[in-house]
Amino acid sequence: GQQVMQIPQYQHVQEGEDFTTYCNSSTTLSNIQWYKQRPGGHPVFLIQLVKSGEVKKQKRLTFQFGEAKKNSSLHITATQTTDVGTYFCAASGSARQLTFGSGTQLTVLP
Amino acid sequence: DAGVIQSPRHEVTEMGQEVTLRCKPISGHNSLFWYRQTMMRGLELLIYFNNNVPIDDSGMPEDRFSAKMPNASFSTLKIQPSEPRDSAVYFCASSFGRGGYNEKLFFGSGTQLSVL
């Protein structure tokens, strides 16, 4: 299936700092989805991006889809302890099946 | 809606035993997915059904794994015989649609399986 590389694997930030996770592919993606999984929980859908260069915002979260549709990012402004969890991108390419990235585990230090 | 319901939440079994995981998708959803999550391999799609029919089982590890969906409101994932390397969290997810790449997935709470 479609391979997506997600970085970083881990990120520790002080509460109030910003956080960004990146998802990269060597091939063009049809779309990309982002999920959040709290510790001990299950993945929860956050958003889907479909268009080249698309930017969507959800409160302090900003999602971007690259112009070439080969990469995406999730940026959190002024992190809070409630942001703790693992953020996954999930993408599909020619295979038309979702493949999940390895996730970025975010720790927010109070 | 109660969401996707999985049972049991935790399962501890001995190597060689049969394990059956259960899932009830969200009512009205016609696609159902089984995922496995481990530290080493992340989230892997095992199999998915659309309108109760298995569409893609290429992710099923081997013949010890089997999945069924006898009706729109119930699916099982069976491992027989189980092995320690099967230890993982198994998630069931459902979506409304044909199981395509652009559908929002709703995940259940998962079954934590430990094979000793």
Side-chain angles (χ1 to χ4, degrees):
Chain A
Q2 180 67 44
Q3 295 294 321
V4 287
M5 301 298 296
Q6 195 171 350
I7 56 170
Q9 188 175 359
Y10 302 97
Q11 184 78 59
H12 292 217
V13 299
Q14 206 71 39
E15 189 173 18
E17 292 182 339
D18 292 356
F19 159 77
T20 305
T21 174
Y22 302 89
C23 194
N24 299 302
S25 170
S26 58
T27 59
T28 303
L29 303 171
S30 300
N31 68 321
I32 196 156
Q33 297 181 355
W34 286 92
Y35 290 78
K36 176 184 178 181
Q37 183 176 19
R38 294 182 184 276
H42 57 277
V44 175
F45 176 86
L46 294 176
I47 208 157
Q48 174 168 266
L49 304 172
V50 179
K51 299 177 183 177
S52 168
E54 190 169 13
V55 178
K56 289 187 176 180
K57 293 190 176 185
Q58 291 179 351
K59 297 183 180 178
R60 294 178 294 104
L61 277 61
T62 302
F63 304 83
Q64 292 190 320
F65 203 5
E67 292 289 343
K69 299 184 73 173
K70 290 184 177 182
N71 55 71
S72 180
S73 65
L74 158 58
H75 179 83
I76 303 178
T77 303
T79 55
Q80 300 175 357
T81 54
T82 53
D83 296 325
V84 164
T86 301
Y87 293 84
F88 293 95
C89 63
S92 70
S94 58
R96 314 295 265 191
Q97 268 301 317
L98 271 181
T99 298
F100 279 80
S102 54
T104 295
Q105 186 175 320
L106 172 64
T107 300
V108 180
L109 305 171
Chain B
D1 198 318
V4 176
I5 300 173
Q6 290 187 247
S7 64
R9 286 297 307 274
H10 304 275
E11 177 80 33
V12 180
T13 191
E14 292 186 344
M15 183 173 64
Q17 295 298 305
E18 177 180 295
V19 175
T20 300
L21 312 181
R22 297 172 176 79
C23 176
K24 175 179 168 54
I26 292 173
S27 177
H29 282 191
N30 52 357
S31 292
L32 183 140
F33 306 78
W34 282 101
Y35 281 88
R36 178 173 67 177
Q37 186 175 41
T38 61
M39 288 293 292
M40 291 297 294
R41 301 176 68 88
L43 267 167
E44 303 174 276
L45 176 64
L46 300 179
I47 185 171
Y48 86 92
F49 296 83
N50 181 247
N51 292 326
N52 312 338
V53 177
I55 303 300
D56 183 357
D57 65 354
S58 59
M60 294 287 263
E62 48 197 272
D63 292 345
R64 297 185 298 106
F65 286 68
S66 63
K68 293 182 180 180
M69 192 165 185
N71 56 62
S73 59
F74 184 65
S75 177
T76 60
L77 177 67
K78 185 177 293 186
I79 308 173
Q80 164 64 14
S82 58
E83 296 182 2
R85 61 190 167 125
D86 301 329
S87 298
V89 179
Y90 290 81
F91 287 106
C92 176
S94 69
S95 70
F96 178 70
R98 293 186 292 176
Y101 60 95
N102 59 351
E103 294 166 11
K104 175 181 175 180
L105 298 180
F106 293 80
F107 283 81
S109 299
T111 295
Q112 173 80 60
L113 174 63
S114 298
V115 183
L116 307 177

